[in-house]
Amino acid sequence: MKAVPSTSSVEVDGEYRLKREGASLQWNIADESALEAALRLKDGDGIVTVLTMGPAKLEAPLKELLARGADRGVLITDRRMAGADTRATAAALKAAAEKTGPYDLILCGRRAIDGETGQVPGELAAGLDILCLSNVEKLEETETGLRLLRRLESGVAELEAKGPLVVSMCEYAYHLRLPGILSMRRAKSKTVEFLTADDLGLNTGECGLKGSLTKVITMEAKYPGLRKGTKETDLMKAAEQIQAMLREARP
């Protein structure tokens, strides 16, 4: 799970990094789908571990996810990890997955609304040397493994796979359940586990900015302009013009 700013007006610093201090945070929408999918797969002997990376203040939001049904909350927090790109983030998540394992399935959102790269699930799977299935809209357990529906540009593919594997879920594939009063009370007594770079066996050169291979060098806001053309009030002529533009765009 990733905590992302809940507003679109977050400032950036001199290195073009989001200023998350003081900004209100929410759980990434696609990640909520991933957690709900995990909770639906869990049986009597299953354990759902929620893993996130960020500041120590995420302890309380993590406990709220425990109230929603997760069994274990793990927070990777270390100032040396600030400013991590997708490569450094995936390296930290890989180390945490190996430390907190074993695991049968790793579920994540397909992309985060603050970065929109969609790279971390694939990089995580590559680091763990396991399969990655992206853009999944539905998954269910079968006698031999999992059956998944994967969104493609040309339609939907139905797949069957066996774990361990990484699955990245689409936004709104599943709506995360609300916590009950009893589960909220139980969550208060649960403890969130904290992991640092040292706990994960990562040196300074593998963390944060120093462990990142990419860097934002410029940023600009672009707004779509109005299409230049004549104003048409005749519906039939307007429809013909729209058809002509579509044929021009996709002959």
Side-chain angles (χ1 to χ4, degrees):
M1 302 283 289
K2 182 180 183 183
V4 295
S6 58
T7 175
S8 59
S9 59
V10 181
E11 297 181 350
V12 295
D13 61 17
E15 298 291 333
Y16 298 107
R17 295 175 298 182
L18 294 179
K19 290 183 178 181
R20 302 176 187 270
E21 297 80 7
S24 58
L25 300 174
Q26 67 179 59
W27 293 116
N28 187 52
I29 298 171
D31 297 351
E32 290 188 347
S33 292
L35 176 55
E36 178 60 29
L39 294 174
R40 295 189 183 195
L41 287 174
K42 185 178 72 168
D43 56 24
D45 298 325
I47 295 176
V48 173
T49 298
V50 178
L51 177 64
T52 191
M53 178 174 163
K57 67 178 182 179
L58 291 179
E59 180 181 9
L62 264 179
K63 281 198 172 186
E64 193 263 342
L65 295 182
L66 295 176
R68 291 178 185 251
D71 303 288
R72 184 182 179 190
V74 180
L75 173 58
I76 306 172
T77 183
D78 195 314
R79 294 190 64 85
R80 291 173 291 179
M81 294 182 175
D85 70 352
T86 57
R87 184 255 189 179
T89 298
L93 294 176
K94 168 189 176 292
E98 292 175 334
K99 185 175 182 63
T100 59
Y103 53 85
D104 299 303
L105 180 66
I106 297 178
L107 289 157
C108 1
R110 65 172 177 170
R111 60 188 179 188
I113 60 174
D114 59 349
E116 293 283 346
T117 64
Q119 295 172 351
V120 170
E123 291 180 330
L124 174 58
L128 294 169
D129 195 24
I130 59 177
L131 180 70
C132 178
L133 294 175
S134 59
N135 297 343
V136 173
E137 294 184 327
K138 182 180 180 181
L139 75 164
E140 58 185 13
E141 191 174 11
T142 66
E143 292 182 357
T144 58
L146 292 173
R147 181 180 294 114
L148 309 96
L149 296 183
R150 183 172 182 250
R151 172 63 60 182
L152 305 174
E153 291 184 359
S154 57
V156 178
E158 182 175 344
L159 306 171
E160 290 188 358
K162 295 181 179 180
L165 69 155
V166 174
V167 172
S168 68
M169 301 295 300
C170 293
E171 302 83 352
Y172 305 111
Y174 295 101
H175 293 285
L176 183 57
R177 65 194 63 185
L178 295 173
I181 295 178
L182 182 58
S183 59
M184 292 174 66
R185 290 176 178 173
R186 290 174 177 171
K188 289 182 179 180
S189 62
K190 293 184 178 181
T191 302
V192 171
E193 302 171 45
F194 289 82
L195 294 176
T196 65
D198 293 334
D199 295 327
L200 299 176
L202 300 174
N203 59 51
T204 304
E206 298 174 289
C207 301
L209 288 175
K210 292 185 178 180
S212 300
L213 298 179
T214 60
K215 182 181 180 181
V216 179
I217 58 175
T218 186
M219 184 182 297
E220 59 181 301
K222 288 192 174 183
Y223 301 94
L226 296 176
R227 180 185 290 273
K228 295 181 180 180
T230 59
K231 182 178 180 180
E232 182 59 69
T233 57
D234 185 284
L235 292 180
M236 291 303 297
K237 289 183 178 180
E240 291 173 357
Q241 291 178 17
I242 291 174
Q243 288 179 333
M245 288 188 297
L246 291 174
R247 282 194 294 268
E248 181 182 350
R250 288 190 67 178

